[in-house]
Amino acid sequence: GPEVVTKRAPSAAEWKALRFAWRVCAHVKSNTVIFTAADRTLAVGAGQMSRVDAVNVARMKAESAKVSLAGAVAASDAFFPFRDGLDAVVAAGATAVVQPGGSVRDADVIAAADEHGIAMVFTRRRHFRH
């Protein structure tokens, strides 16, 4: 099952939102970062090779729809290869993240999450929807 890899574990509300986010992420085109609340999708950044670009697409969509991502959770269908994607997720407003894990730089990404005080969960499996 999912594994908490950060010092901070998700709150009960974050767990609920993370489970929802991961389910939604499974049905979106791959190379996706999405932001959700516990019961609704707030923004989707799909089809971007870069995690940072995916986050930026989601942020732009949220801004144009006048949707706040503050306090959202984020799900990524693929691992974060560098910490920059995680930093972008936090800058967008997410307080918890779910992702597959499996990058050679997982330790850097976990350290970045701890630095920001956010919770991160690894699923250890990737959705492939092309």
Side-chain angles (χ1 to χ4, degrees):
E3 176 195 355
V4 177
V5 293
T6 44
K7 294 185 176 104
R8 184 169 86 71
S11 66
E14 285 170 337
W15 268 119
K16 186 177 179 198
L18 288 168
R19 282 193 293 269
F20 176 79
W22 189 247
R23 282 199 306 274
V24 172
C25 203
H27 297 288
V28 182
K29 186 178 187 302
S30 64
N31 294 315
T32 301
V33 178
I34 68 164
F35 292 83
T36 80
D39 56 351
R40 67 194 179 101
T41 303
L42 301 173
V44 176
Q48 305 299 314
M49 292 312 293
S50 148
R51 302 288 96 189
V52 175
D53 290 349
V55 171
N56 289 337
V57 167
R59 279 183 88 164
M60 285 187 317
K61 287 180 178 178
E63 281 165 21
S64 69
K66 306 274 191 282
V67 170
S68 170
L69 299 181
V73 301
S76 176
D77 75 322
F79 62 67
F80 288 87
F82 307 102
R83 72 166 287 162
D84 60 355
L86 192 279
D87 291 333
V89 161
V90 173
T95 62
V97 179
V98 58
Q99 60 132 320
S103 165
V104 293
R105 292 189 187 81
D106 277 347
D108 293 351
V109 176
I110 292 166
D114 282 336
E115 217 176 275
H116 290 298
I118 69 157
M120 188 164 59
V121 175
F122 281 4
T123 62
R124 303 286 180 203
R125 62 197 188 85
R126 176 169 182 186
H127 294 300
F128 277 99
R129 301 273 300 209
H130 285 277

